[in-house]
Amino acid sequence: MSNDARLIAGNEEYTYPVVSGSVGPDVIDIRKLYAQTGMFTYDPGFTSTASCESALTYIDGDEGVLLHRGYPIGQLAEQSSFMEVSYLLLNGELPSPGQLKDFSHTISRHTMLHEQLMTFYRGFRRDAHPMAIMCGVVGALSAFYHDSTDIADPVHRKISSHRLVAKMPTIAAAAYKYSVGQPFVYPDNSLSYTGNFLRMTFGVPAEKYEVNPVVERALDRIFILHADHEQNASTSTVRLAGSSGANPFACIAAGIACLWGPAHGGANEAALNMLKEIGTPDRIPHYIERAKDKNDPFRLMGFGHRVYKNYDPRATVMQSTVREVFKSLNVTDPLFETALRLEELALNDPYFIEKKLFPNVDFYSGIILSAIGFPTTMFTVLFALARTVGWVAQWNEMISDPGQKIGRPRQLYTGPTSRDYVSLDKR
Ligand code: CMC
């Protein structure tokens, strides 16, 4: 039997090739559909559309599997480091010890920001949301690093990728420092990527800052869990922006803007705010009823996913990391008990069972981040910091593809058909 897909439209039959990837659903290559039939496909929200070919990240949403370059996220989170995963995403293979050392060294050499960029922060209100600052400052990088914006040059692409990964912690920590009115702390390249970020965020010039290794490890693991996630909304935004030839700093700023929304990266902030609003476990049933009520816009934040119809494997690691951090810092948070109980009740409720709604990565992350000392407004910033490597890896993959074209979807037009202009005095 032919491996083609057959489409009958009117009296005509058309065939389209079915293409197989290394794993996952086959795709129907419909690139000739419009030329042959004069019709478009209609798929708002891209629920059935593969927008590109990619060898980076694979998700099996039914089984709760997430692989980066073939490696399961659980193994990477337990055994690897964020720098190692960054190398893997950018280069396709795990690094040798020498390659990892060189890569970490290169990244550490790019951690500083142009001094004039630091003055940029002062133009923001003190109470600006740090994601607003992130959109602005990351976009502004294009004005400072012209020497790495020739996207046709692979060396430029590599330098800009390294710069973005390296500078993101400095930019994020400065956004935090500005909001609390403390001086910016310059990077210390003798520390790890994550240790350096912790110091720039929580250190002050007046005192020596000791990095807590358990917190450092936990945050590094959170960064690994957020490093990439296939063609999600912000990654698709980065690819679409990049498809026009825009420079990488502008593309990543576009990704940050998309990530900010509560249905995407903003869900970690929304999830913790929701847990605070629920407060004690006795109030959970009321909120579960609200989440099920079609006339109430309330949703359980940190629950449900477009792709996962099973437990998000990142949520599993996140839950165990909460316990580790609490133990190390010798703290507890009653909201963790509320979260555990909410999960238990929701997972036994027919509404959530039927719709296959499980906790996602954002359900527990806020509890850890808050225990470490981050305010809720910084949660999505941390997501953006970690996702930057995935965004630049995806952007590089797209630009390196010789068949790359500008992204240009079409539409189902439902507005008025052609009509004559009516002069103002006749309306
Ligand atoms: N609480 C209550 N009902 C829900 C929820 C929820 N969190 N999520 C989905 N549903 C219902 C929804 O009302 C719909 O019901 P019906 O079929 O009766 O209309 C059904 O489940 C399918 O939902 P959908 O909105 O059509 O599914 P989607 O794939 O478009 O949305 C989602 C996925 C993640 C936006 C959604 O589950 C959601 O809004 N969750 C809360 C926000 C959240 O936690 N986002 C973080 C996602 S993971 C991190 C990231 O990738 O950024």
Side-chain angles (χ1 to χ4, degrees):
M1 208 171 79
S2 150
N3 200 25
D4 290 340
R6 281 177 293 151
L7 171 77
I8 297 170
N11 296 326
E12 301 290 333
E13 180 173 313
Y14 305 89
T15 55
Y16 296 96
V18 172
V19 184
S20 299
S22 44
V23 58
D26 292 343
V27 301
I28 306 170
D29 180 348
I30 51 138
R31 281 178 288 182
K32 293 206 169 79
L33 181 95
Y34 177 60
Q36 291 176 340
T37 67
M39 286 190 280
F40 299 136
T41 55
Y42 182 57
D43 185 19
F46 308 119
T47 53
S48 301
T49 296
S51 62
C52 63
E53 194 179 315
S54 180
L56 270 149
T57 292
Y58 172 71
I59 303 175
D60 181 335
D62 295 325
E63 296 299 323
V65 169
L66 168 61
L67 310 176
H68 290 320
R69 304 278 193 192
Y71 296 103
I73 190 66
Q75 290 181 22
L76 293 173
E78 291 301 328
Q79 299 170 45
S80 180
S81 68
F82 182 66
M83 271 301 92
E84 203 179 2
V85 172
S86 297
Y87 183 98
L88 173 70
L89 288 169
L90 290 170
N91 298 290
E93 294 298 336
L94 286 170
S96 67
Q99 285 168 328
L100 181 59
K101 193 164 165 254
D102 289 349
F103 177 71
S104 304
H105 179 72
T106 304
I107 295 296
S108 73
R109 300 298 300 191
H110 284 295
T111 48
M112 283 180 52
L113 289 181
H114 192 292
E115 196 58 25
Q116 216 176 321
L117 194 58
M118 300 307 282
T119 62
F120 198 83
Y121 283 82
R122 305 196 196 283
F124 287 96
R125 284 170 55 127
R126 284 277 173 203
D127 61 355
H129 195 290
M131 281 299 276
I133 299 181
M134 294 299 286
C135 292
V137 176
V138 174
L141 289 174
S142 359
F144 287 87
Y145 300 101
H146 300 286
D147 58 340
S148 58
T149 51
D150 177 2
I151 62 160
D153 183 339
V155 177
H156 276 225
R157 293 207 299 272
K158 192 169 178 179
I159 296 172
S160 59
S161 302
H162 290 166
R163 279 184 167 150
L164 277 157
V165 172
K167 293 184 196 306
M168 209 52 86
T170 317
I171 295 171
Y176 172 72
K177 284 299 191 198
Y178 185 71
S179 72
V180 290
Q182 290 182 0
F184 299 134
V185 175
Y186 285 84
D188 175 349
N189 293 342
S190 68
L191 298 174
S192 72
Y193 184 85
T194 304
N196 182 37
F197 173 62
L198 282 166
R199 181 180 160 277
M200 287 191 292
T201 306
F202 297 118
V204 286
E207 284 173 17
K208 190 167 166 43
Y209 181 80
E210 294 289 344
V211 178
N212 176 328
V214 176
V215 170
E216 182 185 18
R217 178 72 195 117
L219 191 59
D220 200 72
R221 195 179 284 161
I222 291 174
F223 289 165
I224 294 173
L225 295 178
H226 287 91
D228 192 44
H229 211 229
E230 210 226 39
Q231 306 310 320
N232 57 83
S234 57
T235 302
S236 298
T237 301
V238 169
R239 279 187 178 257
L240 199 54
S243 77
S244 72
N247 76 69
F249 304 108
C251 296
I252 301 306
I256 292 172
C258 177
L259 186 77
W260 194 358
H264 193 8
N268 50 18
E269 184 177 342
L272 196 78
N273 288 337
M274 175 194 74
L275 289 172
K276 283 183 187 161
E277 187 187 322
I278 296 175
T280 46
D282 57 300
R283 288 164 50 84
I284 294 171
H286 168 65
Y287 283 89
I288 290 194
E289 287 315 308
R290 282 190 61 193
K292 289 156 51 174
D293 181 356
K294 285 281 151 244
N295 299 316
D296 188 332
F298 176 79
R299 281 188 169 201
L300 281 193
M301 299 313 284
F303 250 81
H305 199 273
R306 168 62 64 77
V307 183
Y308 294 118
K309 301 302 166 202
N310 201 326
Y311 212 97
D312 180 339
R314 302 169 300 172
T316 317
V317 183
M318 211 57 103
Q319 204 203 76
S320 62
T321 310
V322 177
R323 296 183 204 281
E324 268 173 45
V325 170
F326 279 8
K327 193 163 163 234
S328 159
L329 297 179
N330 200 17
V331 295
T332 52
D333 183 345
L335 290 186
F336 185 43
E337 296 313 316
T338 306
L340 288 171
R341 185 76 184 131
L342 176 57
E343 175 187 332
E344 189 189 336
L345 289 180
L347 293 186
N348 284 299
D349 188 292
Y351 173 93
F352 291 87
I353 295 170
E354 189 198 312
K355 294 187 190 303
K356 300 188 176 162
L357 299 169
F358 292 84
N360 61 49
V361 67
D362 291 323
F363 192 61
Y364 289 107
S365 62
I367 293 174
I368 310 177
L369 295 175
S370 164
I372 295 175
F374 291 103
T376 43
T377 50
M378 280 297 286
F379 293 179
T380 314
V381 173
L382 300 178
F383 193 155
L385 185 170
R387 182 56 58 85
T388 296
V389 69
W391 287 330
V392 292
Q394 299 262 358
W395 170 81
N396 264 300
E397 185 181 59
M398 179 187 72
I399 303 288
S400 321
D401 179 349
Q404 186 261 324
K405 281 181 192 297
I406 185 169
R408 177 52 171 97
R410 300 304 301 268
Q411 62 176 7
L412 173 64
Y413 177 69
T414 55
T417 52
S418 178
R419 48 183 171 167
D420 289 324
Y421 176 78
V422 180
S423 62
L424 196 55
D425 59 329
K426 301 221 168 60
R427 275 180 263 148

